[in-house]
């Protein structure tokens, strides 16, 4: 099947305003789409990414107000890595320190330096200061200078008790290849490789069993070009013996879902049609995006949602 890399990653939050402030102002990402949870339209679905909301840059949240914290661990995506230039590390250490954002000491990983930080719900994020070329244009930001800005995702790290079956799904079914391994971590790449394609499998015995809640990842979505390549992916996931959902229209992309053998919920999402179908690229994130069946209730839905800024 044709997987290009990561598409989006969706996490759970507890306060939409703090979430909005953190991702747009602290990290300098663009607010790409304001929508609602299609199964729970009283709750936002918030999307942050680059200028156009390109696949491989989009972190999305379901911010359920007052949601209890989860516990990151095995059976979940453990960490979400963002790509920054190798020269931007000092800038970010100082910036996060000045803003009182919780961080961990810089670690070394496969030749890159990794700065771990936590969002207001304790979601584990990594700024991977990489010397690998990453030509992606960052989101324009008044808070973060272009030369230091986040380029998009670097990697998703999955926490697992045993990586072997997950590795088989990645390599035998999804087209990934193993490219590096050290201690409890093995890295896989797909397609052209490079930042934005990596999946790391982590089998650190110190990881607790993950529990869903605020500050944890709900699912990891992989990019495929269009309806045709998604049909192929659907057929091949099904043939591999995993239980895969029907194709679901999410307005900005079409999706299929399946749980990989290690317990992490995967999605394969189409790059088409993208986020500019219901508002122009220049003003992404300003109009509440609603699926057609909820459009008649726009006024009530908007009135019930908290203001973001
Ligand atoms: Zn998704």
């Amino acid at each position: 099947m044709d997987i290009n890399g990561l598409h989006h990653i969706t996490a759970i939050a507890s306060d939409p305003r703090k979430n909005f402030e953190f991702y747009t102002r602290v990290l300098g990402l663009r607010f790409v789409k304001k929508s609602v949870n299609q199964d729970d339209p009283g709750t936002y679905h918030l999307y942050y990414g680059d200028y156009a909301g390109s696949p491989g840059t989009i972190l999305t949240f379901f911010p359920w107000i007052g949601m209890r914290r989860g516990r990151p661990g095995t059976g979940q995506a453990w960490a979400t890595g963002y790509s920054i230039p190798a020269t931007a590390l000092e800038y970010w250490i100082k910036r996060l320190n000045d803003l009182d954002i919780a961080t961990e000491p810089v670690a070394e990983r496969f030749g890159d330096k990794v700065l771990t930080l936590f969002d207001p719900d304790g979601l584990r994020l990594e700024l991977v200061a990489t010397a690998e070329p990453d030509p992606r244009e960052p989101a324009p930001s008044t808070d973060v200078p272009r030369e230091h800005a986040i380029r998009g995702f670097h990697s998703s790290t999955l926490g697992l008790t045993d990586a072997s079956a997950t590795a088989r799904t990645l390599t035998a079914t999804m087209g990934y290849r193993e490219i590096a391994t050290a201690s409890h971590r093995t890295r896989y790449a797909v397609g052209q490789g490079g930042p934005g394609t990596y999946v790391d499998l982590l089998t650190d015995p110190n990881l607790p069993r993950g529990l869903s809640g605020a500050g944890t990842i709900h699912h990891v979505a992989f990019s495929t070009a269009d309806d045709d390549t998604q049909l192929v992916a659907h057929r091949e996931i099904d043939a591999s013996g995993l239980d895969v959902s029907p194709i679901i229209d999410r307005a900005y992309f079409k999706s299929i879902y399946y749980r990989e053998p290690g317990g992490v919920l995967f999605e394969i999402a189409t790059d088409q049609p993208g986020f500019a179908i219901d508002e122009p690229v220049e003003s992404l994130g300003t109009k509440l995006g609603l699926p057609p069946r909820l459009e008649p209730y726009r006024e009530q839905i908007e009135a019930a949602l908290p203001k973001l800024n």
Side-chain angles (χ1 to χ4, degrees):
M1 74 178 70
D2 263 331
I3 300 288
N4 305 315
L6 297 167
H7 184 283
H8 66 271
I9 295 176
T10 294
I12 302 169
S14 67
D15 184 328
R17 241 171 295 195
K18 281 187 188 162
N19 184 263
F20 177 82
E21 171 84 10
F22 182 85
Y23 286 95
T24 59
R25 304 301 305 271
V26 175
L27 293 191
L29 301 176
R30 187 172 193 214
F31 186 48
V32 169
K33 188 63 68 181
K34 177 167 65 174
S35 186
V36 294
N37 183 333
Q38 291 192 15
D39 305 314
D40 176 12
T43 300
Y44 277 124
H45 192 185
L46 306 178
Y47 297 69
Y48 309 94
D50 69 358
Y51 183 70
S54 310
T57 73
I58 311 152
L59 187 59
T60 95
F61 288 89
F62 294 125
W64 278 293
I65 291 168
M67 176 61 133
R68 66 171 171 75
R69 279 226 179 161
R71 184 175 67 197
T74 58
Q76 290 176 343
W78 163 254
T80 300
Y82 278 115
S83 166
I84 59 168
T87 49
L89 183 65
E90 292 306 318
Y91 166 86
W92 281 101
I93 291 171
K94 179 169 187 321
R95 174 173 179 76
L96 297 174
N97 187 50
D98 289 350
L99 293 170
D100 264 333
I101 308 295
T103 59
E104 287 183 353
V106 172
E108 190 84 34
R109 184 186 301 160
F110 301 133
D112 295 330
K113 293 212 159 53
V114 180
L115 174 60
T116 296
L117 67 146
F118 299 90
D119 88 351
D121 287 297
L123 185 72
R124 176 178 287 268
L125 302 168
E126 298 169 335
L127 296 179
V128 183
T130 181
E132 269 194 88
D134 190 345
R136 294 176 293 175
E137 187 61 31
S141 163
T142 50
D143 296 285
V144 179
R146 191 190 163 280
E147 69 267 30
H148 300 313
I150 286 170
R151 264 49 185 168
F153 289 136
H154 177 273
S155 46
S156 175
T157 297
L158 312 186
L160 300 165
T161 45
D162 175 359
S164 52
T166 303
R168 252 195 321 279
T169 293
L170 284 175
T171 56
T173 307
M174 295 174 66
Y176 270 80
R177 56 191 181 272
E178 183 182 325
I179 59 163
T181 189
S183 148
H184 302 300
R185 180 183 294 269
T186 305
R187 174 161 295 173
Y188 297 82
V190 73
Q192 299 188 324
T197 72
Y198 298 135
V199 174
D200 286 7
L201 303 188
L202 181 67
T203 51
D204 187 333
N206 296 319
L207 290 188
R209 172 97 206 128
L211 291 173
S212 176
T216 66
I217 301 286
H218 186 267
H219 64 267
V220 177
F222 298 87
S223 141
T224 197
D226 54 31
D227 291 0
D228 292 341
T229 56
Q230 189 174 56
L231 268 179
V232 173
H234 190 274
R235 199 167 56 228
E236 292 183 8
I237 300 290
D238 189 45
S240 80
L242 294 171
D243 195 9
V244 60
S245 78
I247 294 168
I248 299 171
D249 190 345
R250 294 299 188 195
Y252 311 113
F253 40 84
K254 287 186 186 157
S255 299
I256 58 174
Y257 302 86
Y258 54 103
R259 211 167 278 283
E260 58 81 26
V264 182
L265 185 60
F266 278 4
E267 171 183 349
I268 295 176
T270 55
D271 292 351
Q272 300 299 329
F275 291 100
I277 55 156
D278 56 0
E279 56 186 342
V281 175
E282 298 75 39
S283 60
L284 283 179
T286 53
K287 183 186 168 207
L288 184 69
L290 291 177
R293 72 182 169 84
L294 293 176
E295 198 55 63
Y297 310 103
R298 172 175 289 274
E299 225 168 286
Q300 296 101 292
I301 291 171
E302 282 190 325
L305 290 166
K307 293 262 172 296
L308 291 176
N309 52 355

